[in-house]
Amino acid sequence: MAGTSPGMTGTAAERNIVRLIGAPLILLLLTLFFSSFSQAADLPLHPQRIVSLNMCIDELVLRLADPENVASVSWYSQDADNANMAEAAKLRPANHGSAEEAMFFHPDLVLVGRFTPRTTRAMLSEIGAPVVQLDVPETLEGVRKQIREVAELVGEPARGEALVARIDRDLDAISVDSQMPKLKAIILRPNGFTVGPGSLVDELLKRAGLENMAARLDIGAYQQISLERVALLEADVLIANAETSGAPSLATEGLNHPIVAALSRKLRVVAVPARYWTCAGPAIVDAVRQLVEATRDVRAKVASP
Amino acid sequence: MTGHGPHYPALVAALAALSLSVMLVSVFVGYAHIDVLAALGDALARRDSLPALALVQLRLPRAILGLAIGFSLGLSGAAMQGLLRNPLADPGVVGVSGGAAFGAVVAFYSGLSGIFALALPLGGIAGAALAALALYGLAGRGAGTMTLILAGVTINSFAGALTSLALNLSPNPYAVFEIMFWLMGSLIDRSLSQVALTLPLMVVGWALMLSSARALDALTLGEDTATSLGFDLVGLRWKLVAGSTLAVGASVAVAGAIGFVGLVVPHLLRPFVGHAPGRLLLVSGFGGAVVLTIADIAVRLLPMHPELKLGVVTALIGSPFLLSLVNRMRGQA
């Protein structure tokens, strides 16, 4: 090319092309270099100072790793109203989700969630801590995958397999036959949120023999719904969060609205403790079990009117 | 004053009728389709149908509260403007609403109102009273507009900071995200029990303010003249402060602090009552009811979710209004 291009214009154009392709290429190579350096190379096979900054990951770490290898979990996990492994969490030092606190424990593995602030993650990787970000599973298959992933990370793959097998066995034992007629259900969470199709909770409802009416409302996976629409849905089952924390908030006021009490005369209101399905973890089995048991007599009535 | 005399009853009647009509419209507006007439039939026949439940438990309290809170804010604005003889006095601007929000927040998040329901409006009233007393101390009668506004800014930011602090101290993880409700206000998913809890207190406040109408008119002739006409000015001040505190405190406790209604409405109506502050009271009440109910209908019709806070709508309309008012006052000065 250089030989055929006349004079200065050719080289300028070439230089531009090199700049156009070259700069991103160098950047990409640098990124690849550093990411391979800071992630794969540094991840220990059997970490002994694990720090988790996310409540849902705390639970998996506490279930899968040996307690002495868990350096710190988030403070949310120590509250038995919110978390399923509070007893075990209380025995470990707590953090409040900041990079500074995480560094204090000299971690050889830091696990963060999707919602851990970008600045926190950036700070951690700058300091050179091995950080792994875990997503929020949206399906049952995703839950299995995440349990296996965390088990692998903490160096206990066999425990991960065992936990997945136990969840599957429990779910199969309690699930309602998919051939059975479905009960119509709607979820009402704090701040008037409901859960729509394409979510893990939607899949759990199916396992419990319930049809999620949010699908008919043409709303996304997690949307607000007015009490008015909830009241007029003609559902068989209204699934609310059980009041666990004694502290009041407007978010849970909607669930105390007199219309919810009035509706309970016409349909079954099931109060599921939030900690059963706040996290896409092993406790989802308890959510399905409660839904199945609380709607058994309603189902019988619908089946033989 | 006398020139507008014959029109006054007609004006009151017209605004009252308008208030009732927008309230009726409010009952027909919502997120789900309700055959209102059929639902009403069910409700009257004590048939426990779902539409009847939604109508009685959700639409009705929302419409009643829109009307009552609008009435409270409009009337209190007119009363404060008459008392302080300052056209910029309004429960929101001078910080009485902010104080009420703080009082209600303390009563609610501490769990006090869970044990004893009346604690919520009483907390709002106590907060409003504290703010009103602070205002009166900082910018009592005869103070210039500048002093009044600065006192209002101070009380407002202090009350806002205390509200935020109280929400942060709550052990409930949702609480800290609820500052918007308390500072901007909303009528979403209110209940009849909240109506029963706050409406009586508001009505007492209205009665206190409305009964001061003639004394307020006399005050325009000067304090000495009013006293010589036999009006008790100390009693008048206490009645107006207590009345507006009751009405605003109870309103904010159930719907958050909604601004500008008490500022805009008396201004719009003042020319129609011949600038008589006493006559302005009742019409401003109805005017406020109309304005707030229309704003509440608007937030339900706008295609925004979560629903826009009421204070956002009233501030969007009210702020330019306040600006033009300031501009006009600058011209006079």
Side-chain angles (χ1 to χ4, degrees), chain A residues 114-274:
Chain A
R114 193 209 298 176
F115 299 111
T116 301
R118 195 186 298 264
T119 46
T120 307
R121 271 183 280 144
M123 179 67 79
L124 283 166
S125 41
E126 212 167 291
I127 303 168
V131 184
V132 177
Q133 185 193 330
L134 293 156
D135 219 339
V136 180
E138 296 288 351
T139 59
L140 213 48
E141 191 45 46
V143 174
R144 295 187 191 101
K145 209 174 134 229
Q146 183 162 75
I147 292 172
R148 292 193 177 106
E149 187 185 353
V150 173
E152 199 77 47
L153 284 166
V154 303
E156 300 286 353
R159 288 187 196 163
E161 286 305 328
L163 184 56
V164 168
R166 204 197 79 203
I167 291 172
D168 280 334
R169 197 178 55 233
D170 289 354
L171 269 183
D172 287 342
I174 54 179
S175 290
V176 170
D177 186 354
S178 58
Q179 302 303 311
M180 294 273 285
K182 297 250 183 289
L183 294 175
K184 291 176 290 178
I186 186 82
I187 294 178
L188 186 59
R189 286 195 167 174
N191 279 324
F193 277 97
T194 192
V195 185
S199 59
L200 172 64
V201 167
D202 192 65
E203 205 174 335
L204 298 178
L205 292 192
K206 283 199 189 83
R207 285 296 197 112
L210 304 171
E211 179 206 337
N212 188 359
M213 293 193 82
R216 300 187 190 182
L217 294 173
D218 190 29
I219 53 180
Y222 199 62
Q223 278 287 324
Q224 268 183 316
I225 182 173
S226 64
L227 279 178
E228 199 170 299
R229 289 185 86 173
V230 172
L232 294 169
L233 273 176
E234 298 183 350
D236 302 312
V237 182
L238 172 65
I239 303 162
N241 270 13
E243 193 81 57
T244 46
S245 164
S249 75
L250 296 173
T252 50
E253 269 290 280
L255 307 176
N256 298 333
H257 194 286
I259 197 161
V260 175
L263 281 172
S264 68
R265 295 197 297 268
K266 313 190 71 71
L267 49 83
R268 177 60 46 89
V269 178
V270 185
V272 179

Side-chain angles (χ1 to χ4, degrees), chain B residues 285-328:
Chain B
F286 283 121
V290 172
V291 166
L292 195 67
T293 306
I294 290 176
D296 189 46
I297 292 170
V299 294
R300 280 177 284 173
L301 293 178
L302 287 169
M304 269 172 253
H305 296 282
E307 168 183 305
L308 210 54
K309 294 277 178 280
L310 266 177
V312 176
V313 179
T314 55
L316 281 176
I317 301 165
S319 305
F321 185 87
L322 179 61
L323 263 181
S324 76
L325 204 68
V326 169
N327 197 34
R328 213 182 311 156

Side-chain angles (χ1 to χ4, degrees), chain B residues 184-285:
Chain B
M184 284 298 187
S186 169
L187 283 174
I188 193 165
D189 292 344
R190 305 289 93 185
S191 68
L192 274 181
S193 46
Q194 286 167 318
V195 175
L197 208 57
T198 55
L199 191 59
L201 293 165
M202 289 188 223
V203 171
V204 174
W206 300 346
L208 280 172
M209 286 185 273
L210 289 171
S211 68
S212 325
R214 288 189 48 234
L216 213 48
D217 279 342
L219 195 60
T220 55
L221 304 171
E223 295 196 359
D224 295 339
T225 318
T227 315
S228 71
L229 285 172
F231 290 106
D232 168 17
L233 292 188
V234 178
L236 167 74
R237 287 194 193 100
W238 279 111
K239 260 161 78 178
L240 288 176
V241 170
S244 54
T245 297
L246 277 169
V248 174
S251 298
V252 171
V254 75
I258 302 162
F260 291 101
V261 176
L263 180 77
V264 175
V265 171
H267 267 281
L268 292 178
L269 293 172
R270 190 166 284 125
F272 295 99
V273 293
H275 296 267
R279 290 188 161 186
L280 188 58
L281 293 175
L282 189 58
V283 291
S284 293

Side-chain angles (χ1 to χ4, degrees), chain B residues 168-182:
Chain B
N168 260 299
L169 289 175
S170 162
N172 191 305
Y174 291 104
V176 74
F177 302 107
E178 288 165 3
I179 184 96
M180 265 289 276
F181 170 85
W182 293 106

Side-chain angles (χ1 to χ4, degrees), chain A residues 64-75:
Chain A
L64 296 167
D66 284 327
E68 63 271 19
N69 291 338
V70 182
S72 173
V73 292
S74 75
W75 63 291

Side-chain angles (χ1 to χ4, degrees), chain B residues 67-158:
Chain B
L67 208 67
I69 291 170
F71 194 93
S72 295
L73 294 175
L75 174 56
S76 303
M80 286 185 172
Q81 291 173 17
L83 175 69
L84 296 165
R85 281 187 271 170
N86 195 314
L88 291 181
D90 154 80
V93 172
V94 301
V96 171
S97 298
F102 170 60
V105 160
V106 169
F108 181 74
Y109 293 89
S110 68
L112 200 61
S113 64
I115 305 164
F116 159 62
L118 207 58
L120 181 68
L122 291 183
I125 289 163
L130 275 179
L133 288 177
L135 179 77
Y136 213 75
L138 285 167
R141 56 206 162 97
T145 303
M146 177 76 106
T147 317
L148 180 77
I149 297 301
L150 284 179
V153 168
T154 312
I155 296 169
N156 249 332
S157 33
F158 190 55

